[in-house]
Amino acid sequence: MFATNAPTQPIAPDKIRPSVQALQPLLIAFRRQIHQQPELGFQEHLTAAAIAAKLTEWQIPHQIGVAHTGIVAMIQGRKTSFRLKTLAIRADMDALPIQEANDVPYKSQRDGVMHACGHDGHVAIALMTAYYLSQHQNDFAGMVKIIFQPAEEGPGGAKPMIEAGVLTNPDVNAIIGLHLWNNLPLGTIGVRSGALMAAVELFTIAIQGKGGHGAMPHQTVDAIVVGSQIVTALQAIVARNINPIDSAVVTVGEFHAGTAKNVIADTATLTGTVRYFNPDLADFFQHRIDTIVAGICASQGATYQLNYVKLYPPVINDPKITDLVKAVATDIVETPLGVVPACQTMGGEDMAFFLERVPGCYFFLGAANPDLSLAYPHHHPRFDFDETALATGVEIFVRCVEKYCN
Ligand code: NI
């Protein structure tokens, strides 16, 4: 919430901040518990059990096993209001296939699996938000649904949760969610209307040429030469087909071909990813890549197979809900400079599927603290964040609930 050397007097003349700050030891304890037992997508059984145990202990109604390992908790407000609304809060639960390199008491207990993106913190924030709201039901009207979502890192748990009905019964009117963010310093909050994160699409191009002797190329179709032309041609898509005002990325991440110095490769396999913000481009890249690959292969006498997956759409924030989050964030950080609109990233998030269905806002909670060596990038084996950000996350969620539902 504050830079470490900033004043820490609560500015809000209400009980929320002291009540939330009192939860900080529980927040940290629960985050560390989850951190020690990281689980990959759709395998979050211990994580789900830990969440469910707390919800049961606190007598918060909840449904388990939603889209395998997901959980939905519901907290009913007791305040009266002209129109009762339902706000959803979403937190992802999964870890990554990374060996943790941090030497901390709460280090991952599982070889090769690590919470290297902060989802352990998201679980703790959402859980303690549920607890706070269950203790303050008289302070808000309507309903709050807390969605614990599996498999954000892939293959994606948002879509199956939506298909399982989490946005209905009662219908969700708006949704918010956050990502602890080491690209922003502690004490800042990244809030932006419109496109925040990019669409994620993945492709594999399998080229079939004709192998042969390295000294007799005229008898072959060299899959490496064909693949090289494709890699070069793909660079022109962003450079020459996309409006320069739009941002987009086409990255070839893998190029596998060949077995020996004196053998011409008969096959080559390229894989890569496409990123963009503009939803109008949803059908563009697949078609364009196919056209380029087909043309080059035809000109060289090769054949190909293109496997193209549209993984996540772009994360698009609703202007009204974003204004609400921005107002809350501005109150909390006390200075408009602490609310950072320039926080777009070409990273992707399946929060996008929720935001396609209902208006909402996904935002970044600054969590980097270089003074404490807590500034490694996400998905790094030494990733960790400043845990004082956890209480700020709860405070933002609670204030959004009170502002939206009342
Ligand atoms: Ni993440």
mmCIF file of all heavy atoms in Angstrom, residues 3 26 60 91 99 132-133 242 275 290 293 307 322 347 354 368 377 383 395 403 406:
data_model
loop_
_atom_site.group_PDB
_atom_site.id
_atom_site.type_symbol
_atom_site.label_atom_id
_atom_site.label_comp_id
_atom_site.label_asym_id
_atom_site.label_seq_id
_atom_site.Cartn_x
_atom_site.Cartn_y
_atom_site.Cartn_z
ATOM 1 N N ALA A 3 4.957 2.872 -0.025
ATOM 2 C CA ALA A 3 6.380 2.572 -0.105
ATOM 3 C C ALA A 3 6.856 2.410 1.332
ATOM 4 O O ALA A 3 6.270 2.973 2.256
ATOM 5 C CB ALA A 3 7.124 3.702 -0.800
ATOM 6 N N LEU A 26 -2.767 -13.483 9.489
ATOM 7 C CA LEU A 26 -3.491 -14.601 8.882
ATOM 8 C C LEU A 26 -3.238 -14.672 7.379
ATOM 9 O O LEU A 26 -3.080 -15.752 6.804
ATOM 10 C CB LEU A 26 -5.003 -14.432 9.126
ATOM 11 C CG LEU A 26 -5.525 -14.754 10.515
ATOM 12 C CD1 LEU A 26 -6.994 -14.356 10.644
ATOM 13 C CD2 LEU A 26 -5.368 -16.243 10.803
ATOM 14 N N ILE A 60 -18.959 -20.061 5.922
ATOM 15 C CA ILE A 60 -19.262 -19.341 4.678
ATOM 16 C C ILE A 60 -19.741 -20.363 3.652
ATOM 17 O O ILE A 60 -19.010 -21.316 3.342
ATOM 18 C CB ILE A 60 -18.008 -18.603 4.158
ATOM 19 C CG1 ILE A 60 -17.557 -17.541 5.173
ATOM 20 C CG2 ILE A 60 -18.280 -17.980 2.790
ATOM 21 C CD1 ILE A 60 -16.234 -16.877 4.826
ATOM 22 N N ALA A 91 -10.030 -15.171 -8.096
ATOM 23 C CA ALA A 91 -8.628 -15.421 -7.762
ATOM 24 C C ALA A 91 -8.193 -16.731 -8.400
ATOM 25 O O ALA A 91 -8.917 -17.717 -8.338
ATOM 26 C CB ALA A 91 -8.453 -15.508 -6.245
ATOM 27 N N GLN A 99 11.411 -24.967 -10.582
ATOM 28 C CA GLN A 99 12.086 -25.343 -9.335
ATOM 29 C C GLN A 99 12.409 -24.066 -8.560
ATOM 30 O O GLN A 99 13.153 -23.214 -9.032
ATOM 31 C CB GLN A 99 13.374 -26.112 -9.653
ATOM 32 C CG GLN A 99 14.189 -26.507 -8.436
ATOM 33 C CD GLN A 99 13.482 -27.547 -7.560
ATOM 34 O OE1 GLN A 99 12.843 -28.468 -8.047
ATOM 35 N NE2 GLN A 99 13.588 -27.371 -6.248
ATOM 36 N N TYR A 132 -13.440 -11.347 5.855
ATOM 37 C CA TYR A 132 -13.803 -9.985 6.275
ATOM 38 C C TYR A 132 -15.291 -9.731 5.994
ATOM 39 O O TYR A 132 -16.028 -9.229 6.863
ATOM 40 C CB TYR A 132 -12.936 -8.950 5.548
ATOM 41 C CG TYR A 132 -13.285 -7.531 5.938
ATOM 42 C CD1 TYR A 132 -12.552 -6.854 6.906
ATOM 43 C CD2 TYR A 132 -14.384 -6.872 5.366
ATOM 44 C CE1 TYR A 132 -12.891 -5.563 7.295
ATOM 45 C CE2 TYR A 132 -14.734 -5.598 5.748
ATOM 46 C CZ TYR A 132 -13.980 -4.943 6.700
ATOM 47 O OH TYR A 132 -14.334 -3.670 7.088
ATOM 48 N N LEU A 133 -15.712 -10.054 4.780
ATOM 49 C CA LEU A 133 -17.099 -9.779 4.401
ATOM 50 C C LEU A 133 -18.066 -10.578 5.270
ATOM 51 O O LEU A 133 -19.130 -10.081 5.649
ATOM 52 C CB LEU A 133 -17.321 -10.088 2.919
ATOM 53 C CG LEU A 133 -16.563 -9.173 1.934
ATOM 54 C CD1 LEU A 133 -16.712 -9.696 0.505
ATOM 55 C CD2 LEU A 133 -17.054 -7.720 2.028
ATOM 56 N N ILE A 242 -0.313 -4.872 -39.741
ATOM 57 C CA ILE A 242 -1.049 -4.364 -38.580
ATOM 58 C C ILE A 242 -0.927 -2.846 -38.534
ATOM 59 O O ILE A 242 0.162 -2.295 -38.735
ATOM 60 C CB ILE A 242 -0.475 -4.973 -37.276
ATOM 61 C CG1 ILE A 242 -0.609 -6.505 -37.287
ATOM 62 C CG2 ILE A 242 -1.166 -4.404 -36.042
ATOM 63 C CD1 ILE A 242 -2.026 -7.014 -37.326
ATOM 64 N N ARG A 275 0.288 -12.345 -29.984
ATOM 65 C CA ARG A 275 -0.350 -11.511 -28.944
ATOM 66 C C ARG A 275 -0.895 -10.243 -29.594
ATOM 67 O O ARG A 275 -0.249 -9.669 -30.472
ATOM 68 C CB ARG A 275 0.658 -11.107 -27.865
ATOM 69 C CG ARG A 275 1.447 -12.260 -27.243
ATOM 70 C CD ARG A 275 0.530 -13.167 -26.456
ATOM 71 N NE ARG A 275 1.208 -14.377 -26.016
ATOM 72 C CZ ARG A 275 1.653 -14.603 -24.791
ATOM 73 N NH1 ARG A 275 1.524 -13.668 -23.873
ATOM 74 N NH2 ARG A 275 2.220 -15.751 -24.476
ATOM 75 N N ASP A 290 -1.454 -18.751 -42.101
ATOM 76 C CA ASP A 290 -1.748 -19.867 -43.009
ATOM 77 C C ASP A 290 -1.437 -19.475 -44.460
ATOM 78 O O ASP A 290 -0.836 -20.254 -45.207
ATOM 79 C CB ASP A 290 -3.207 -20.290 -42.857
ATOM 80 C CG ASP A 290 -3.489 -21.618 -43.532
ATOM 81 O OD1 ASP A 290 -2.711 -22.566 -43.301
ATOM 82 O OD2 ASP A 290 -4.450 -21.703 -44.308
ATOM 83 N N VAL A 293 2.457 -19.309 -44.921
ATOM 84 C CA VAL A 293 3.085 -20.636 -44.894
ATOM 85 C C VAL A 293 2.716 -21.409 -46.164
ATOM 86 O O VAL A 293 3.578 -22.044 -46.795
ATOM 87 C CB VAL A 293 2.669 -21.407 -43.620
ATOM 88 C CG1 VAL A 293 3.208 -22.831 -43.646
ATOM 89 C CG2 VAL A 293 3.169 -20.681 -42.376
ATOM 90 N N ASN A 307 -1.137 -26.051 -36.924
ATOM 91 C CA ASN A 307 -2.025 -26.266 -35.783
ATOM 92 C C ASN A 307 -2.108 -24.938 -35.035
ATOM 93 O O ASN A 307 -1.084 -24.423 -34.551
ATOM 94 C CB ASN A 307 -1.450 -27.378 -34.897
ATOM 95 C CG ASN A 307 -2.327 -27.654 -33.688
ATOM 96 O OD1 ASN A 307 -3.432 -27.113 -33.575
ATOM 97 N ND2 ASN A 307 -1.840 -28.474 -32.783
ATOM 98 N N THR A 322 -14.026 0.057 -14.026
ATOM 99 C CA THR A 322 -12.645 0.530 -13.871
ATOM 100 C C THR A 322 -12.618 1.857 -13.109
ATOM 101 O O THR A 322 -11.745 2.067 -12.252
ATOM 102 C CB THR A 322 -11.972 0.699 -15.253
ATOM 103 O OG1 THR A 322 -12.047 -0.555 -15.932
ATOM 104 C CG2 THR A 322 -10.522 1.111 -15.112
ATOM 105 N N GLY A 347 1.397 -9.908 -21.824
ATOM 106 C CA GLY A 347 1.049 -11.155 -21.147
ATOM 107 C C GLY A 347 -0.448 -11.406 -21.303
ATOM 108 O O GLY A 347 -1.215 -10.484 -21.599
ATOM 109 N N PHE A 354 -14.090 -14.161 -18.309
ATOM 110 C CA PHE A 354 -15.098 -13.561 -17.416
ATOM 111 C C PHE A 354 -15.483 -12.177 -17.931
ATOM 112 O O PHE A 354 -16.653 -11.805 -17.949
ATOM 113 C CB PHE A 354 -14.552 -13.448 -15.988
ATOM 114 C CG PHE A 354 -14.378 -14.760 -15.278
ATOM 115 C CD1 PHE A 354 -13.124 -15.224 -14.928
ATOM 116 C CD2 PHE A 354 -15.487 -15.535 -14.933
ATOM 117 C CE1 PHE A 354 -12.956 -16.437 -14.260
ATOM 118 C CE2 PHE A 354 -15.335 -16.753 -14.259
ATOM 119 C CZ PHE A 354 -14.063 -17.198 -13.927
ATOM 120 N N ALA A 368 6.508 -5.249 -5.881
ATOM 121 C CA ALA A 368 7.960 -5.363 -5.913
ATOM 122 C C ALA A 368 8.586 -4.478 -4.844
ATOM 123 O O ALA A 368 8.158 -3.347 -4.634
ATOM 124 C CB ALA A 368 8.489 -4.962 -7.291
ATOM 125 N N PRO A 377 11.289 -11.029 -11.690
ATOM 126 C CA PRO A 377 10.099 -11.064 -12.544
ATOM 127 C C PRO A 377 9.243 -12.310 -12.300
ATOM 128 O O PRO A 377 9.721 -13.310 -11.756
ATOM 129 C CB PRO A 377 10.676 -11.081 -13.967
ATOM 130 C CG PRO A 377 12.089 -11.483 -13.835
ATOM 131 C CD PRO A 377 12.540 -11.131 -12.454
ATOM 132 N N PHE A 383 11.286 -15.696 -7.967
ATOM 133 C CA PHE A 383 10.158 -14.775 -7.787
ATOM 134 C C PHE A 383 9.657 -14.828 -6.336
ATOM 135 O O PHE A 383 9.523 -15.896 -5.751
ATOM 136 C CB PHE A 383 9.004 -15.149 -8.719
ATOM 137 C CG PHE A 383 7.754 -14.335 -8.471
ATOM 138 C CD1 PHE A 383 7.626 -13.075 -9.021
ATOM 139 C CD2 PHE A 383 6.728 -14.823 -7.670
ATOM 140 C CE1 PHE A 383 6.483 -12.313 -8.776
ATOM 141 C CE2 PHE A 383 5.589 -14.062 -7.420
ATOM 142 C CZ PHE A 383 5.467 -12.808 -7.977
ATOM 143 N N GLU A 395 -8.116 -4.817 1.179
ATOM 144 C CA GLU A 395 -8.773 -3.520 1.389
ATOM 145 C C GLU A 395 -9.426 -3.019 0.095
ATOM 146 O O GLU A 395 -10.547 -2.493 0.113
ATOM 147 C CB GLU A 395 -7.755 -2.495 1.916
ATOM 148 C CG GLU A 395 -8.435 -1.184 2.292
ATOM 149 C CD GLU A 395 -7.497 -0.150 2.921
ATOM 150 O OE1 GLU A 395 -6.407 -0.533 3.383
ATOM 151 O OE2 GLU A 395 -7.881 1.036 2.932
ATOM 152 N N LYS A 403 -18.614 -0.084 -2.229
ATOM 153 C CA LYS A 403 -18.939 0.980 -3.179
ATOM 154 C C LYS A 403 -19.899 0.484 -4.256
ATOM 155 O O LYS A 403 -20.819 1.193 -4.672
ATOM 156 C CB LYS A 403 -17.637 1.458 -3.856
ATOM 157 C CG LYS A 403 -17.561 2.958 -4.067
ATOM 158 C CD LYS A 403 -16.191 3.334 -4.641
ATOM 159 C CE LYS A 403 -16.157 4.762 -5.101
ATOM 160 N NZ LYS A 403 -15.970 5.747 -4.053
ATOM 161 N N ASN A 406 -23.571 -1.070 -2.510
ATOM 162 C CA ASN A 406 -24.457 -0.205 -1.710
ATOM 163 C C ASN A 406 -25.055 0.917 -2.549
ATOM 164 O O ASN A 406 -24.434 1.438 -3.429
ATOM 165 C CB ASN A 406 -23.688 0.387 -0.529
ATOM 166 C CG ASN A 406 -23.322 -0.691 0.493
ATOM 167 O OD1 ASN A 406 -23.944 -1.754 0.504
ATOM 168 N ND2 ASN A 406 -22.333 -0.426 1.294
#
